[in-house]
Amino acid sequence: FKKVHWEEAMKQEDYELLSTRWVFTYKLDSGSYLERYKARLVIRGDMQMSWDETYSATISSKAIRALIALATAFGYKSWQHDLITAYLNAGIDRDDYFIQMPQGIKGDPNEWLRLKKALYGLKQSPLLWQKEFTKTHLELGFEQVSEEVCLFKNKDSIILFFYVDDVVTLFQPEQEGLAR
């Protein structure tokens, strides 16, 4: 949890103070030995009283099946990747999301913090992440397929689609690799 995600703010009487909690997980290796600890600060979305639009599109299963069939028919390679801490990269669209100083972080526990980035659990986070992902890929020269807003293509025959924070990229292998 870094200061890039929040800024100190004065207590705001007219605004909701969002509840947070720490989620701790343990990552084990293939032999079931502890590899590392992980901690994530999340918004208690179940206690969030006010929110705007929370809808976030997902690609249809019909489109995924069609893309896999096309990739197979035309010899595309695929690369699936999970975007780590995806929601933390999305900016906040309002300036009235406040939390208290999280337990374990140095600072006044009564101090309010204004969120500058989305956190997991915030009801708007999936939509904010989708908007950020879309904006970035449009800036990179991809075109969004209007019928499937989670599907993008570019002029170099790269196709990518995403579902929440999982992304699949389809691309043609190098031409010299196809020569036999």
Side-chain angles (χ1 to χ4, degrees):
F1 192 62
K2 301 176 183 173
K3 280 197 171 190
V4 71
H5 297 103
W6 54 267
E7 65 186 9
E8 296 171 2
M10 299 296 295
K11 187 174 182 179
Q12 306 290 321
E13 296 294 334
D14 296 338
Y15 292 102
E16 175 185 11
L17 182 63
L18 301 171
S19 298
T20 60
R21 72 182 191 112
W22 287 102
V23 175
F24 299 99
T25 55
Y26 307 100
K27 293 296 179 177
L28 305 176
D29 64 14
S30 58
S32 297
Y33 290 100
L34 181 63
E35 193 172 78
R36 69 179 190 263
Y37 299 102
K38 289 178 69 177
R40 178 181 283 175
L41 182 71
V42 299
I43 300 290
R44 291 279 315 268
D46 60 321
M47 298 182 74
Q48 188 176 345
M49 301 298 285
S50 61
W51 61 86
D52 290 329
E53 187 177 10
T54 61
Y55 169 79
S56 182
T58 56
I59 192 163
S60 68
S61 58
K62 183 170 81 172
I64 291 173
R65 287 192 299 272
L67 288 165
I68 291 170
L70 286 169
T72 302
F74 292 102
Y76 274 64
K77 298 277 186 183
S78 65
W79 182 45
Q80 186 276 330
H81 37 284
D82 179 30
L83 302 176
I84 299 169
T85 63
Y87 288 4
L88 302 181
N89 293 300
I92 293 287
D93 58 347
R94 299 175 10 186
D95 64 353
D96 60 350
Y97 295 120
F98 295 95
I99 63 172
Q100 275 186 304
M101 182 70 71
Q103 182 180 9
I105 303 291
K106 289 183 181 178
D108 180 358
N110 297 316
E111 184 174 25
W112 283 39
L113 305 174
R114 181 188 323 272
L115 291 181
K116 294 174 18 181
K117 296 281 187 175
L119 291 182
Y120 284 87
L122 185 69
K123 290 186 182 287
Q124 296 85 342
S125 289
L127 179 59
L128 295 170
W129 161 243
Q130 178 188 337
K131 287 179 178 180
E132 185 71 28
F133 187 89
T134 298
K135 181 179 115 219
T136 299
H137 283 82
L138 293 175
E139 289 171 356
L140 291 171
F142 281 85
E143 295 176 36
Q144 190 173 28
V145 175
S146 60
E147 297 81 20
E148 288 284 348
V149 296
C150 299
L151 176 60
F152 297 84
K153 62 180 181 151
N154 75 358
K155 63 181 184 314
D156 297 322
S157 300
I158 296 175
I159 301 168
L160 66 86
F161 61 92
F162 70 98
Y163 182 87
V164 187
D165 61 355
D166 291 307
V167 179
V168 176
T169 306
L170 304 173
F171 56 95
Q172 291 184 334
E174 296 295 313
Q175 294 300 320
E176 61 270 12
L178 295 176
R180 294 178 196 233

